[in-house]
Amino acid sequence: MTLDPVHVDGIAKLAGQVRETVETSDQEAAAEDVWDSFLDPLWQDGTKILEPLDEQRRRKVPVEDIALADPPFPTQHGLDSGTINPTTFKNGLVLDVAQAAMGSVPSDIELHRGRTIIMAVHSNDATLRFDGEWQGGDRGYAKRRVLDVPQVDRYEQRVVHALALYLAESQHALTNADMVEDLFILDGPIYPTGVLRWADRDTELADLLAEDDRPKTVVNNYVDLVERFVERDVPMVGFIKNSSTKALTRALRRKTNAPWVNDTAFFRRILERRDDDGEQRTDCLTATNWFRSRAGTDGIMAADGDALGIERSLDPEAYEVTFFVLYDPRSDLVFRVEAPYAFTKDPDRRAKLTRQILHDVAKEQGPPLAIGKADELAKIDRQGSEELTRRIERTFETDREREYNDIRWGAVEESF
C-alpha cells in the first residue's frame, strides 16, 4: 500500500466534507420533480425527444412471483460479441479481433458452436489493402474475414474496436436470424451506438461516419436485422447491462437542476424503494413504462432522422428506439431494455416483452439466460487474448508496442 494510514484517514475526512455538501441538495426530490413534470413529453429545440408509449408510471413486481411465473416466450435466443481489445504493433498496424456467438434457451449445441470472427486492421500506409472475402472454418461452423478499417489520424483504436465488434455481432445475427423462433435478445443496444456516437464526437469521426461506406455498412446490418425480424413477426430487444447514455440528463439540464452524472443515475433515484428507516427494500423489481426516444444517437433512427442515408423499407416509425428501465435492488443494478417501435406499438406485445425480461432478471439475478450463454460463448478472456496476441506477433514477425505501464502493472513480462 503506497498510502500511510494517516493519509487514508485524511482522505476519508475529505470524503466526509464532500458528503456533507452533497447531502444539502435533495436529489430524491429533484428526481421526483423531473419524473412528474418533464417527461410527458420531454421537449428539446421544438422536438419531442422522449415520450411515454402508454401511461407514464412506475411499477413493481415481487421477485419470487415473477421468477416462478411462466415466461411469455417459450424459447429465447441471445447474441453477444467479444474482442481481444485494440492492439498496436511495431510494424504500424492497429487491429482488434472480435468473435460473435449465439446462445439459446433451451440449449442448441449446434447453434452454440457457430462463430463469426472479424479482424479489423488499420494502417497509415495508404498503399496497403487488407479487405478479404469471407472464409469458412471449424467444418463450416465458423466464418471469418479481415476488415480494412478507414484511415484516421487519431482514434485508430476506437475505430478498429467498434467496427470489429459490431460487424461480427450484426453479421452473426443476420446469419442465424431464421433460427430464432420466439424472441431475439441482443446483448447491448439495438443499434451500434459505439459507431453512431461518432456523429457527436471529433469532426474526423463525424466525417468518417458520414462519408465512408464501411461504418455505414455496419449500421445498415442493424437496419436489415430489424426488417428481417419484422418480416418474420419475431420480436427483438436489446438488453443493456451498462448504459452510459447522458442524452436525457443533458436535455434536462437546460430546464432544471439535473445533478445526475448520467441517465442511469437518474432512473436509479426514481426506481429504488426504501422503508421508513431508509433501508433498501429488495423484495420487488421495479420498472418504468416504455418510452419512445429520439434523444442523442436515438434521433438518427427516428422517423424524421436521416438514418445516415441508409434506405429503409418499412415505415420510418418502425425503426425508432423505444425502451424501459428496470431496477434490481438485490444487486443495485439498473438495466435499459430497448426494442424497435415496430415491436412495442402493440400494447399486448409490449406487456409480454416486459414480463419476459422481468421474469428473466428475477430468475437469473442478472441478465437473461439467453444472453448469459452468448456472453460465455463469445467472450475472450485475458489469457486467451494474450495467447492470441502472441500468435499474431509471431505471424507478423514483430511485437506489439509496449509502454512503461505494461511493465509497471505486470501486463507484460520482460525477458532478458
Side-chain angles (χ1 to χ4, degrees):
M1 185 173 183
T2 57
L3 288 171
D4 291 332
V6 64
H7 302 312
V8 173
D9 291 342
I11 292 169
K13 290 179 181 178
L14 293 177
Q17 178 183 332
V18 172
R19 176 185 174 184
E20 290 175 3
T21 304
V22 171
E23 286 180 344
T24 62
S25 68
D26 193 342
Q27 293 193 14
E28 183 175 351
E32 291 293 334
D33 178 57
V34 166
W35 177 260
D36 292 336
S37 306
F38 290 96
L39 304 185
D40 188 12
L42 176 63
W43 292 85
Q44 180 175 293
D45 300 329
T47 300
K48 293 179 184 179
I49 63 168
L50 193 80
E51 59 180 326
L53 287 184
D54 48 19
E55 178 187 359
Q56 183 182 322
R57 61 192 178 105
R58 288 167 282 188
R59 64 195 77 183
K60 63 180 180 179
V61 58
V63 171
E64 291 187 6
D65 291 352
I66 193 66
L68 295 173
D70 291 331
F73 297 93
T75 66
Q76 307 94 47
H77 288 72
L79 188 136
D80 193 16
S81 58
T83 79
I84 66 170
N85 290 324
T87 306
T88 302
F89 293 86
K90 292 180 180 178
N91 59 6
L93 299 182
V94 183
L95 65 81
D96 201 354
V97 178
Q99 71 162 346
M102 184 176 283
S104 65
V105 179
S107 292
D108 181 339
I109 302 303
E110 294 283 306
L111 179 70
H112 290 180
R113 185 173 171 179
R115 297 288 189 278
T116 297
I117 300 170
I118 298 292
M119 177 182 284
V121 185
H122 175 277
S123 173
N124 283 321
D125 187 341
T127 65
L128 300 179
R129 290 291 181 268
F130 303 104
D131 265 337
E133 300 296 326
W134 285 103
Q135 302 174 27
D138 189 20
R139 300 182 180 180
Y141 286 96
K143 55 187 301 186
R144 54 182 184 259
R145 64 167 289 197
V146 174
L147 175 68
D148 191 7
V149 168
Q151 283 190 317
V152 289
D153 292 329
R154 295 178 293 167
Y155 310 114
E156 299 94 341
Q157 292 198 348
R158 181 179 296 174
V159 171
V160 297
H161 178 72
L163 294 185
L165 184 78
Y166 289 118
L167 182 58
E169 177 181 89
S170 60
Q171 192 62 49
H172 199 70
L174 288 169
T175 299
N176 295 282
D178 292 343
M179 302 288 291
V180 182
E181 300 174 356
D182 298 302
L183 176 64
F184 177 58
I185 311 175
L186 272 170
D187 190 343
I190 57 174
Y191 297 113
T193 54
V195 173
L196 296 179
R197 284 185 186 135
W198 295 356
D200 297 325
R201 298 281 173 89
D202 182 87
T203 302
E204 183 179 13
L205 289 178
D207 291 344
L208 182 66
L209 183 60
E211 300 170 2
D212 197 285
D213 288 338
R214 282 162 287 189
K216 284 185 180 179
T217 297
V218 171
V219 179
N220 190 76
N221 277 358
Y222 288 84
V223 172
D224 289 346
L225 200 60
V226 173
E227 293 171 353
R228 178 83 68 88
F229 281 103
V230 169
E231 180 183 359
R232 299 186 62 237
D233 196 30
V234 174
M236 63 175 285
V237 300
F239 188 91
I240 305 173
K241 296 176 289 191
N242 301 295
S243 177
S244 60
T245 178
K246 299 182 179 182
L248 173 60
T249 47
R250 283 173 178 163
L252 288 170
R253 288 192 190 106
R254 300 185 179 185
K255 304 174 181 294
T256 185
N257 175 36
W260 310 285
V261 66
N262 54 32
D263 298 355
T264 294
F266 164 70
F267 283 113
R268 177 180 283 106
R269 280 284 179 179
I270 64 168
L271 289 176
E272 62 183 2
R273 300 163 55 244
R274 298 186 179 275
D275 60 23
D276 294 339
D277 297 323
E279 295 297 320
Q280 179 80 280
R281 301 185 64 176
T282 60
D283 57 322
C284 294
L285 300 181
T286 53
T288 68
N289 54 281
W290 285 84
F291 290 93
R292 188 194 307 216
S293 174
R294 304 178 187 91
T297 58
D298 295 343
I300 296 174
M301 290 299 170
D304 58 355
D306 65 358
L308 304 180
I310 294 169
E311 183 178 350
R312 294 179 283 184
S313 62
L314 305 174
D315 184 326
E317 278 196 342
Y319 303 88
E320 290 197 318
V321 175
T322 65
F323 74 92
F324 79 93
V325 177
L326 161 65
Y327 176 62
D328 187 344
R330 298 169 298 176
S331 56
D332 191 33
L333 292 178
V334 177
F335 304 113
R336 172 172 159 133
V337 182
E338 296 184 350
Y341 181 63
F343 300 116
T344 57
K345 62 183 178 181
D346 177 71
D348 290 338
R349 176 171 275 176
R350 193 161 65 232
K352 287 181 179 179
L353 290 172
T354 305
R355 288 200 304 273
Q356 179 69 51
I357 298 300
L358 288 170
H359 163 82
D360 289 348
V361 171
K363 186 176 180 180
E364 299 301 320
Q365 298 191 46
L369 180 57
I371 59 172
K373 290 184 177 183
D375 178 75
E376 285 296 317
L377 294 167
K379 72 179 181 181
I380 305 173
D381 61 21
R382 179 173 178 177
Q383 181 179 353
S385 178
E386 283 293 316
E387 180 181 352
L388 183 55
T389 302
R390 287 193 294 268
R391 289 286 300 273
I392 294 172
E393 285 179 317
R394 291 198 294 270
T395 301
F396 283 172
E397 296 184 346
T398 190
D399 297 328
R400 80 192 86 173
E401 286 191 350
R402 290 171 170 83
E403 299 177 346
Y404 176 71
N405 281 342
D406 293 328
I407 302 171
R408 181 185 183 192
W409 301 113
V412 176
E413 294 182 1
E414 287 287 323
S415 57
F416 298 92

